Amino acid sequence: MSTIVCIIDGMTDTAFRPEDYPTLSSFSYQGAMQPTPAGYGAESLTCILTILGVKKIPRLLRGYADALGAGIPVEVGDLVTRVSWMALDETGRCTLPINASSLAHTPNGCTYYALGGYKGLLVLEGQGSCAEHITAMPPYQCAGNFPAALRPTGCEPLSAFFDQNLTTSHCAVPWGQAAAANLPPFVQKAAVICGTQIVRGIASLLHMDCPVIPGATGDTDTDLRAKTEAALQAAETYPFVLLHFNGSDEASHRKDAAEKRAFIHRVDDLVLPHLYNCPHRVYVLSDHATDPQTGCHVGTPQPVFMKEANDSCGRKESSFFSAFGL
Ligand SMILES: [Zn+2]
């Protein structure tokens, strides 16, 4: 008997009602848990680590987890930042994000990686101790500012990277500084079935196996059947399986409430019936709310749905969520 935890990222919002989803509402409602720790932002990395029972989450971890998820080599002691490329208008003010350049000028000891779309990553050898002294502006605060206000401080090579990539039409803004860190491995042998980079990074951080699933993406176009089959297959040999769907979060960020609902309905039709009928214990929940009106994450407590294992021995094991009082 295995435990499968199915996370439907950003599933809830103020309009979310479980009774709109027939299979989900046939699971038993267990109460609500709070995946967003006090003092942290509502963000998948922190929330999913909390769901997985990690108590001490380093504050500056995101860029490192992204790097691990993308298979980028980072040593303990290195600094990692996200890089967002932003357009500048004719007055020199920052406007909108643009696709990440495939190449960048880099100071010595820095390596730049384009991750596809608007995402870039910078690894700065041996600069990890700077992480907590850096001031940097996240891309969602950049619009309307002149480049001088976007220039990071607190790490010389990082400021140099900004200067070297500033032109009259665009700039490369480092942010999301993180230091490489070691987390304790997950308590059980575990498999992660996902299509999104940050969740692959979580798998790597916690030493969980994360097979590549053909057709799995981190969006609404993911292959739901392939991921469901992979999760059920993994549950044959792993005592714990994390199954993650990201389309509901991405549709919410696009402020498309109809696309979000349609995606959750597809999960309800194509995924949850197989989980409901499998012999394993299954939990279904979201890591945080994502509001399709604002496109933002919300760190509210999340409803937890469960179905018991069909264990012929009638054996009861302690609940995975007992740590959260559920
Ligand atoms: Zn999100």
Side-chain angles (χ1 to χ4, degrees), residues 190-195 200 203 208-214 216 230-231 234 238 241-242:
V192 177
I193 308 298
C194 68
R200 299 192 78 81
M208 301 160 102
D209 292 335
C210 191
V212 173
I213 312 298
Y238 290 85
V241 178
L242 174 67

Side-chain angles (χ1 to χ4, degrees), residues 9 44 246 249-250 253 288 290 297:
D9 204 296
S44 293
N246 204 44
D249 186 58
E250 294 296 339
H253 288 312
H288 51 69
T290 311
H297 294 173

Side-chain angles (χ1 to χ4, degrees), residues 67 72-74 78-81 109-113 121-125:
I72 291 170
V74 182
D78 290 351
L79 174 73
V80 188
T81 75
C110 299
T111 312
Y112 168 80
Y113 300 88
L121 210 72
L122 194 63
V123 178
L124 299 95
E125 251 171 63

